[in-house]
Amino acid sequence: MPGGAQSQASLDASRPLDEQALARRVGMRVVYQDSPRNDAATLAYAQRTTGLGCQVRTSPSCRPAWIFDGETALVPIDPAQSRLGALCTTSPGIVASLVALFEQTWETAVPLGADRRQRSEDGITAGERRLLKLLAAGMTDEAVGKRLGVSLHTVRRQMSALMERLDATSRFEAGLKAAQRGWL
């Protein structure tokens, strides 16, 4: 579930379908972007489905795809404009690639009840590392926010906190110090 917080209309439309599937003991694993942890409605929805048996994790970023029984996949025609529709495929090569991408994302994602801010051995969270890498790649704050599903304000606040931790007075200096610490 990329793109940050889900709309109330989307949550309302999904609720009966997810509840019916989970009541039939259909196994469901969902990866949300980290940002919905800060949205009360999306978080409550994810917690509710977890209580019904759905496995939910969050990740700094994820790609939209819905995979059914490892045999059928749906991907949006344009991830930025989901209303344009989706491609449904049963092509084994495409589905296998999407399953591999999902499994990789799942393994690095954080279970919903766990602390997503847990720092690795080198002292940086996965989200902070992703932020630094996107900025180092030359993306603007606005583009980084869109990619991570967070606001421009959040990107700037997180970068400011990183600069303070690195004792850097500019973003350039922060990039150098982050690279020296092995964060990039």
Side-chain angles (χ1 to χ4, degrees):
M1 301 302 279
Q6 303 297 301
S7 71
Q8 191 60 52
S10 176
L11 296 173
D12 291 343
S14 299
R15 180 173 286 113
L17 301 172
D18 288 345
E19 288 176 357
Q20 289 171 14
L22 292 166
R24 290 191 322 265
R25 298 185 186 266
V26 171
M28 289 176 60
R29 294 188 297 162
V30 178
V31 178
Y32 287 91
Q33 279 189 271
D34 281 336
S35 55
R37 288 178 181 257
N38 301 321
D39 178 71
T42 305
L43 180 60
Y45 184 86
Q47 289 169 330
R48 177 167 170 69
T49 58
T50 298
L52 296 173
C54 182
Q55 296 178 56
V56 177
R57 295 185 178 187
T58 64
S59 176
S61 66
C62 58
R63 299 289 170 248
W66 293 264
I67 304 165
F68 306 93
D69 297 330
E71 296 179 7
T72 303
L74 284 172
V75 293
I77 293 171
D78 181 351
Q81 298 180 37
S82 61
R83 290 185 178 191
L84 294 179
L87 168 73
C88 178
T89 183
T90 57
S91 172
I94 295 171
V95 173
S97 295
L98 291 169
V99 167
L101 176 61
F102 176 82
E103 293 298 341
Q104 181 182 19
T105 303
W106 182 261
E107 288 304 314
T108 59
V110 177
L112 186 62
D115 181 9
R116 75 183 190 285
R117 302 285 304 162
Q118 203 168 40
R119 298 196 192 292
S120 62
E121 289 180 17
D122 60 7
I124 187 171
T125 68
E128 291 168 335
R129 186 181 313 279
R130 180 84 171 138
L131 171 69
L132 285 170
K133 285 184 177 183
L134 292 172
L135 290 170
M139 294 181 75
T140 65
D141 290 355
E142 292 84 2
V144 170
K146 193 171 201 172
R147 174 78 61 91
L148 298 178
V150 299
S151 70
L152 175 61
H153 174 74
T154 299
V155 170
R156 290 182 175 159
R157 181 181 45 77
Q158 290 175 344
M159 192 59 210
S160 177
L162 281 169
M163 287 175 60
E164 188 174 318
R165 277 185 35 220
L166 290 164
D167 193 30
T169 57
S170 70
R171 286 181 172 216
F172 181 78
E173 183 182 11
L176 286 175
K177 288 184 174 185
Q180 290 168 345
R181 291 186 185 193
W183 292 1
L184 291 173

